[in-house]
Amino acid sequence: MDIKKETIASLHDKLVNKEVTAEELATDGLKQIKANEKKLNTFITVNDKAPEAAKAIDEKGIEGPLSGIPIAYKDNIVTEGIKTTAASKILYNFMPVYSATVLEKLQAAGAIDIGKTNLDEFAMGSSTETSYYGTSVNPWDFSRVPGGSSGGSAAAVAAGEVVAALGTDTGGSIRQPAAFNGIFGIKPTYGRVSRWGVIAFASSLDQVGVMSKRVEDSATVLSVIAGHDEHDSTSSEKEVPDYRANLSKDMSGVKIAVPKEFWHEGTHPDVLDNVNKALDAYKKMGATVEEVSLPSLKHAVEVYYILASSEASSNLQRYDGVRYGFRAKDVKNIKELFVNSRSEGFGDEVKRRIMLGTFALSAGAYDAYFKKAAEVRTIFIKEMTNVLKDYDLIMGPSTTTPAFKIGEKVDDPLAMYMNDILTIPANLAGLPAASVPAGLADGLPIGLQIIGRPFDEQAVFNAAYALQEENKFYEKIPTALKGED
């Protein structure tokens, strides 16, 4: 069954009316994924037991909206009995003995785990080019990156392999690939979704989110995975609304702030043009759009990479070749085991960030770098909070450019880091943020970023839904896939 034009709701109706079975959906999904893999490389591992799990759902009976629906998971979300690699050689053989809370919640809702998607190694990157398993490609143009680090999830959704996929977002890793692939992607408020079972990159920034072609599908999934988890002390006890049931296109009276700093000097003219058209559409819907200033935004990239790399250097200490994962051969002592296992197991970008973070945390550099970055982060949070006292939403481009060519920036770390300049602010402030398609530039998708108040994902969903129903971008078929069916 071709699901390119299906939604979770339409598939649910077909399952309830017995027009298709969950087992057929899972079987057909696996066939399509395997047929696409040579050209897309969106998955690291496919779950060949998915049809068996789906058959059990058929026998039990279709119940909730996700019952029998195949969903993909970024391969830094641990899955019991299914290899989880974080796209790294150092975890090439890691078989988890438990599942992440988000997976358990989706399985309890009847969703089917169809497989694990490709990503930048340990979620460190903006293109999937740092993956040990090779680069995924963009379904709109096979010569271009799908973004990152959740590039595999984004490309799988855009290509119609799944209706929804989970990703993680530390500095834009859901929103940037969503923008590059012409789909919707949301990073919820920090603490809205449990991080238990998510392989850590930067613990104060990481957040699990959802990617889908349609806003309503992400709303359905987020309502299931959100909520307090006793395993994660940072997860919030705030009540989780039914985002899907509360969706509204009404933008009357909504106040939108547009930071002038988001109009970055390096932003592609076609990006600005599409974003301005989207903002004009909101004005016609009855929203107020006004320019504001976030002066500290100019420091966001530096602050982020100091803090994120520092946390990464701490989190990745556990990979030593002793307990699990890759172990170097022909070592003479314990020191060689540690050094060789990490040197051979980690890729260049991960090593770069470990070294940067270790330096920032060192006795001679802590005050000048880590402490200073943490202080600037606090200032930035106050600036964002003050803007959101007077406005309902903050909007601007999701990225400065459309998807770039594979290999174009991989050898220039600074150029790659600048890809995150517009998405980092929401992570530093812990705010809910999404990217929704705003248009095309030379056949490549452009995304509009929407940032909301803490735990007001509903306002973000509603604004994205209003634009989605205005431009109906979900009807477009990725250029490189046209005629392949």
Side-chain angles (χ1 to χ4, degrees):
M1 179 181 179
D2 188 351
I3 64 168
K4 286 188 181 70
K5 295 185 179 180
E6 300 289 346
T7 66
I8 288 175
S10 68
L11 289 175
H12 176 71
D13 289 343
K14 285 180 169 63
L15 287 166
V16 170
N17 296 326
K18 301 190 183 303
E19 296 174 38
V20 67
T21 66
E23 184 179 9
E24 288 170 345
L25 274 183
T27 301
D28 290 349
L30 286 175
K31 286 180 181 177
Q32 185 171 3
I33 291 166
K34 290 176 180 179
N36 286 343
E37 270 310 276
K38 284 187 178 180
K39 57 178 177 281
L40 294 178
N41 195 34
T42 52
F43 282 78
I44 291 176
T45 302
V46 294
N47 181 14
D48 288 320
K49 294 182 179 180
E52 182 182 329
K55 184 178 180 181
I57 294 294
D58 287 326
E59 293 172 350
K60 179 182 177 182
I62 302 300
E63 296 175 344
L66 292 178
S67 185
I69 305 295
I71 291 178
Y73 299 79
K74 187 175 179 179
D75 199 29
N76 61 346
I77 298 172
V78 301
T79 43
E80 182 180 2
I82 300 175
K83 188 172 68 172
T84 302
T85 69
S88 179
K89 180 181 179 180
I90 209 160
L91 287 177
Y92 79 103
N93 62 353
F94 177 52
M95 193 71 72
V97 296
Y98 73 102
S99 289
T101 296
V102 290
L103 177 60
E104 290 184 341
K105 286 187 172 185
L106 286 170
Q107 288 179 333
I112 305 300
D113 172 11
I114 198 76
K116 310 296 292 295
T117 58
N118 199 10
L119 65 147
D120 286 288
E121 185 181 8
F122 281 100
M124 298 181 193
S126 303
S127 63
T128 74
E129 290 173 289
T130 69
S131 172
Y132 177 64
Y133 298 92
T135 306
S136 298
V137 303
N138 193 311
W140 290 84
D141 181 342
F142 292 163
S143 71
R144 295 180 183 270
V145 302
S149 62
S150 306
S153 289
V157 170
E161 294 181 327
V162 288
V163 290
L166 294 193
T168 60
D169 193 311
T170 307
S173 290
I174 286 175
R175 289 158 289 151
Q176 185 248 30
F180 279 4
N181 288 273
I183 64 171
F184 175 78
I186 184 167
K187 176 204 85 71
T189 308
Y190 183 81
R192 177 57 99 182
V193 177
S194 171
R195 292 181 294 109
W196 173 257
V198 177
I199 295 175
F201 165 13
S203 302
S204 76
L205 299 162
D206 297 341
Q207 189 61 78
V208 179
V210 195
M211 312 173 88
S212 59
K213 282 190 177 181
R214 303 279 284 263
V215 174
E216 51 268 43
D217 289 343
S218 286
T220 299
V221 175
L222 187 60
S223 291
V224 172
I225 65 172
H228 180 66
D229 176 17
E230 62 181 10
H231 296 301
D232 180 2
S233 61
T234 66
S235 63
S236 173
E237 295 184 1
K238 285 183 178 290
E239 183 179 350
V240 179
D242 186 336
Y243 300 117
R244 174 69 178 86
N246 294 327
L247 275 181
S248 171
K249 296 184 292 182
D250 185 8
M251 294 295 291
S252 300
V254 174
K255 296 186 68 177
I256 298 170
V258 180
K260 63 182 181 181
E261 291 82 6
F262 274 15
W263 260 236
H264 189 262
E265 61 182 13
T267 303
H268 194 286
D270 288 340
V271 172
L272 298 178
D273 182 54
N274 278 281
V275 169
N276 279 322
K277 287 178 180 176
L279 294 173
D280 287 341
Y282 282 119
K283 290 177 184 177
K284 292 176 182 177
M285 296 177 202
T288 300
V289 179
E290 296 178 352
E291 185 180 86
V292 298
S293 180
L294 294 170
S296 297
L297 183 67
K298 61 186 178 184
H299 303 300
V301 172
E302 294 94 325
V303 168
Y304 170 81
Y305 277 98
I306 290 171
L307 297 178
S309 297
S310 297
E311 293 184 33
S313 73
S314 176
N315 281 325
L316 271 61
Q317 289 182 52
R318 69 194 70 180
Y319 305 109
D320 52 18
V322 175
R323 288 159 289 189
Y324 48 78
F326 174 78
R327 176 180 293 190
K329 297 178 180 179
D330 302 322
V331 294
K332 298 183 178 67
N333 51 55
I334 192 69
K335 181 179 179 180
E336 276 194 15
L337 173 64
F338 289 166
V339 172
N340 292 5
S341 294
R342 289 169 67 82
S343 297
E344 296 171 29
F346 288 135
D348 289 344
E349 181 58 32
V350 174
K351 292 176 190 174
R352 183 180 293 116
R353 299 200 195 191
I354 289 174
M355 288 189 289
L356 173 61
T358 302
F359 171 75
L361 291 172
S362 63
Y366 181 87
D367 287 345
Y369 292 96
F370 185 84
K371 183 179 179 182
K372 184 72 71 176
E375 290 170 346
V376 175
R377 180 184 188 179
T378 300
I379 293 171
F380 189 73
I381 291 171
K382 290 179 180 178
E383 288 182 2
M384 297 281 279
T385 301
N386 287 336
V387 168
L388 288 168
K389 286 179 181 178
D390 298 321
Y391 296 88
D392 301 297
L393 298 165
I394 296 172
M395 293 190 188
S398 298
T399 60
T400 57
T401 67
F404 49 89
K405 293 276 189 179
I406 293 172
E408 182 179 332
K409 300 182 180 183
V410 70
D411 294 323
D412 187 347
L414 292 180
M416 191 69 82
Y417 294 170
M418 292 305 292
N419 282 303
D420 300 330
I421 190 168
L422 300 176
T423 52
I424 282 171
N427 295 87
L428 291 176
L431 299 172
S435 180
V436 61
L440 291 171
D442 294 328
L444 297 171
I446 302 297
L448 172 77
Q449 183 175 202
I450 305 170
I451 303 172
R453 293 168 176 160
F455 298 100
D456 194 5
E457 285 81 8
Q458 191 67 61
V460 176
F461 276 126
N462 289 351
Y465 184 58
L467 185 62
Q468 170 189 280
E469 294 306 291
E470 175 73 18
N471 64 25
K472 299 193 183 300
F473 193 93
Y474 56 80
E475 294 179 348
K476 300 183 186 297
I477 297 174
T479 313
L481 296 179
K482 287 182 178 178
E484 294 211 354
D485 296 334

